Amino acid sequence: MEVAEERNDEVLVLLPVGRLDSGNARSFESVVMDHVSSGERRLVVDFSRLDFISSSGMRVLLIAAKALKAGEGTLVLCAMKNHIEEVFRISGFDRIIPIKDSREAALAASA
């Protein structure tokens, strides 16, 4: 799975591309947790290039959110397509991990 990375001051923005499912969740987890382990404390995951996420992908985000929270960090999600955001809302993940409409709002929320 391709995961683009961009930096905005002290915030690392990850942009997964395509599908995040059981076939590639482990590699996405490695990317995310390597950054968390190396000291990243402000993380935004921009969903604008993601078309599908399975429970395996959502699990990775939950693990990252817990690890960041333990280190007084933040994880904010943004720019979700409607069908993906609906899954997060139905599952209650939106009460655990903040979701913003735009990257700008996510960057502001992660400060």
Side-chain angles (χ1 to χ4, degrees):
M1 142 172 259
E2 179 185 347
V3 181
E5 300 178 9
E6 298 176 9
R7 180 159 296 281
N8 189 310
D9 294 326
E10 295 183 16
V11 181
L12 177 64
V13 180
L14 298 178
L15 294 104
V17 178
R19 297 175 56 90
L20 179 52
D21 55 26
S22 61
N24 56 21
R26 181 77 71 193
S27 64
F28 182 65
E29 182 177 356
S30 293
V31 169
V32 173
M33 295 313 292
D34 284 352
H35 284 296
V36 172
S37 297
S38 66
E40 291 291 345
R41 291 293 167 255
R42 296 180 183 172
L43 193 62
V44 167
V45 179
D46 184 330
F47 277 62
S48 62
R49 299 181 193 170
L50 193 68
D51 298 319
F52 175 81
I53 186 167
S54 72
S55 59
S56 299
M58 294 172 71
R59 179 188 143 280
V60 172
L61 296 171
L62 185 60
I63 291 168
K66 287 182 177 180
L68 285 164
K69 187 175 181 179
E72 299 184 13
T74 58
L75 173 64
V76 182
L77 312 178
C78 69
M80 288 181 175
K81 293 179 172 73
N82 289 340
H83 65 279
I84 293 176
E85 187 170 352
E86 183 178 352
V87 171
F88 275 76
R89 297 212 186 281
I90 290 171
S91 65
F93 270 59
D94 62 320
R95 292 186 296 262
I96 300 168
I97 306 170
I99 300 171
K100 302 297 179 186
D101 290 336
S102 67
R103 185 190 296 196
E104 292 76 20
L107 290 170
S110 67

